Amino acid sequence: MCSNVRDMMTRDVVSVPTAMTFKQVARTLVDHAISAVPVVDAGGAVAGVVSEADLLRKEEFRELYYREFYEAPGRAWGGYATGTAARRKAEALTAADLMTAPAVTVRPDTSVVRAVRMMDERGVKRLLVVGDDGRLAGIVSRSDLLRLFVRDDRDLETEIREKVLAPARWLAADTVAVAADDGVVTLTGHTRTRSGAELAARMAARVNGVVDVVNRLGWEEDDLSSWRPR
């Protein structure tokens, strides 16, 4: 069923202290082949995050400075107001100066669906996972979440049979057949009621890795046709 972030996150996370120098932060990203790194304070709590884009601000401003210095002396840095976040990062000497804060964080029990929505809403590629004490517990990225959709078809069939259909007391699980093909699950057979057939399909669709559900279940009693919401 729908997983939590703790099921998908990377637990062994590279992090840097707030006092780490610009060059050391850059070296950390290069050595570990990562595009961003969490920044933690002396107590281990998450203070922010530094990305490749943050580091590259320095090169961006260096080019801007020299272009304006030679083309229009006296106007160097004129394109950016003093104190802007971009200029602060360009002048940064430590991780504390470089980082974007506060970092976008989630708790380990946050649902994967909510995590995906947060990434979309906040325009980020990763979320830092923190415990109740604010300390770094892990990190979850878009690529981590994509693993949900590459599960083996036989694995999907087994989970739907054993964890969705078998525990359903209102359903005779042996009357429903499950077949998955490239993540698309087809349910065939029959149930006692139409509502039972539709509920089985909805529950199967909630299993991680299911791309779509084709509901071909028949039913003995149409208990929905006469139902009207009040």
Side-chain angles (χ1 to χ4, degrees), residues 96-119:
D97 301 325
L98 276 168
M99 69 184 185
T100 298
V104 183
T105 63
V106 293
R107 298 298 177 88
D109 59 355
T110 301
S111 72
V112 168
V113 172
R114 177 56 184 152
V116 171
R117 288 176 180 169
M118 286 185 67
M119 286 184 183

Side-chain angles (χ1 to χ4, degrees), residues 153-154 156-162 164-166 171-181 184-191 197 200-201 204 212-218:
D153 286 332
R154 306 293 81 78
L156 290 177
E157 294 172 355
T158 299
E159 180 170 345
I160 292 172
R161 291 193 193 100
E162 297 180 357
V164 174
L165 302 181
L171 178 68
D174 58 354
T175 66
V176 177
V178 183
D181 182 14
V184 177
V185 173
T186 301
L187 301 180
T188 55
H190 70 277
T191 61
D212 193 15
V213 173
V214 178
N215 186 1
R216 293 180 178 166
L217 291 170

Side-chain angles (χ1 to χ4, degrees), residues 115-172:
V116 171
R117 288 176 180 169
M118 286 185 67
M119 286 184 183
D120 184 55
E121 291 168 358
R122 303 296 293 272
V124 296
K125 299 179 180 179
R126 65 195 66 80
L127 299 170
L128 303 186
V129 186
V130 299
D132 293 335
D133 56 1
R135 294 171 64 91
L136 186 64
I139 189 169
V140 61
S141 67
R142 289 178 179 176
S143 59
D144 293 326
L145 300 181
L146 284 175
R147 295 206 309 269
L148 291 174
F149 297 102
V150 293
R151 294 182 62 186
D152 181 75
D153 286 332
R154 306 293 81 78
D155 184 34
L156 290 177
E157 294 172 355
T158 299
E159 180 170 345
I160 292 172
R161 291 193 193 100
E162 297 180 357
K163 297 185 179 181
V164 174
L165 302 181
R169 296 181 179 180
W170 45 266
L171 178 68

Side-chain angles (χ1 to χ4, degrees), residues 22 54-62 89-92:
F22 181 102
D54 295 326
L55 289 159
L56 291 173
R57 286 290 188 184
K58 189 175 290 290
E59 188 62 29
E60 174 189 349
F61 271 74
R62 179 182 291 112
K89 293 176 185 294
E91 297 176 334

